[in-house]
Amino acid sequence: MTVLPIRIHGDPVLHEPAAPVTEFDDALRHLVADMFETMDAAPGVGLAAPQVGVGLRVFVYSYGNDASEKPWRGVVVNPTLYMTPPAAGVPDEHDEAEGCLSFPGERFPLRRSERVVVTGFDAHGQPLRIEAEGWRARILQHEYDHLDGTIYIDRLDSAFDRVLLRIVRKRGWGVAGNSWNPMDERLEG
């Protein structure tokens, strides 16, 4: 298994819809293993294939509330997302703050649906269905967005536009080729 560089906001693969997986083969399973290794090294709770430069509809996730709970971990290939509409109102700055490995080091409040159902396939092509609430639902929505070429900052209230632009300019993001490697925690570009 290999820890892969994670693409940063501005790289074209992050801003285009990913293609459906057509072959459930060893290459796909190797990609999934590398994605788990990369997500764990980052560390993160989810990672979509476009974030590691692969334009396929695949994401991995892992989340546990505390040490006594078995981690919730898996992969979804070619997902379909069903969700209840998000509650109206302004997102809470603490309870609804979200981050992204492709916009590293930053968190912003974003209202998401409280409940989702995701259908798709595992890495062997077997059908699966996941029902999730709360943070687990948030993770699934966040990773699904990546497969449609959307980063969570694209969904933020326009009040954050100036702050986001300042961050992008200051860090040299917003262009192709920028990535960071979780193994050495440095940004490449």
Side-chain angles (χ1 to χ4, degrees):
M1 290 184 288
T2 304
V3 173
L4 304 170
I6 298 173
R7 304 293 175 97
I8 295 175
H9 169 70
D11 195 287
V13 72
L14 295 171
H15 305 285
E16 299 170 358
V21 170
T22 58
E23 298 290 327
F24 290 82
D25 55 11
D26 286 341
L28 174 64
R29 288 182 285 282
H30 184 77
L31 170 64
V32 169
D34 288 349
M35 289 173 62
F36 274 118
E37 188 81 7
T38 304
M39 177 185 65
D40 293 343
V45 296
L47 185 70
Q51 291 181 274
V52 294
V54 179
L56 291 175
R57 297 189 72 77
V58 179
F59 68 77
V60 297
Y61 60 89
S62 181
Y63 182 73
N65 287 337
D66 58 42
S68 67
E69 182 180 17
K70 182 180 175 190
W72 176 70
R73 189 171 174 90
V75 58
V76 184
V77 179
N78 295 339
T80 301
L81 174 74
Y82 305 94
M83 63 183 182
T84 59
V90 176
D92 183 271
E93 289 183 31
H94 301 289
D95 292 339
E96 294 177 287
E98 193 168 309
C100 181
L101 296 175
S102 291
F103 204 84
E106 303 296 333
R107 294 180 64 79
F108 293 94
L110 177 64
R111 179 67 42 104
R112 295 274 193 183
S113 175
E114 275 296 311
R115 290 186 195 92
V116 300
V117 174
V118 172
T119 60
F121 302 90
D122 68 14
H124 298 280
Q126 296 301 307
L128 59 80
R129 176 186 168 96
I130 304 167
E131 295 184 30
E133 295 183 4
W135 273 99
R136 292 175 177 186
R138 177 178 295 275
I139 292 165
L140 296 175
Q141 290 169 83
H142 181 108
E143 299 311 324
Y144 185 86
D145 275 353
H146 278 297
L147 304 182
D148 286 340
T150 301
I151 298 179
Y152 89 107
I153 62 167
D154 298 331
R155 294 191 177 277
L156 295 177
D157 185 277
S158 62
F160 292 103
D161 287 354
R162 293 178 122 198
V163 173
L164 294 171
L165 286 172
R166 199 171 321 123
I167 291 167
V168 168
R169 259 190 251 122
K170 180 179 179 183
R171 296 191 182 164
W173 297 348
V175 296
N178 282 342
S179 65
W180 68 281
N181 188 326
M183 291 306 291
D184 59 18
E185 297 186 33
R186 68 181 163 86
L187 299 180
E188 301 170 355

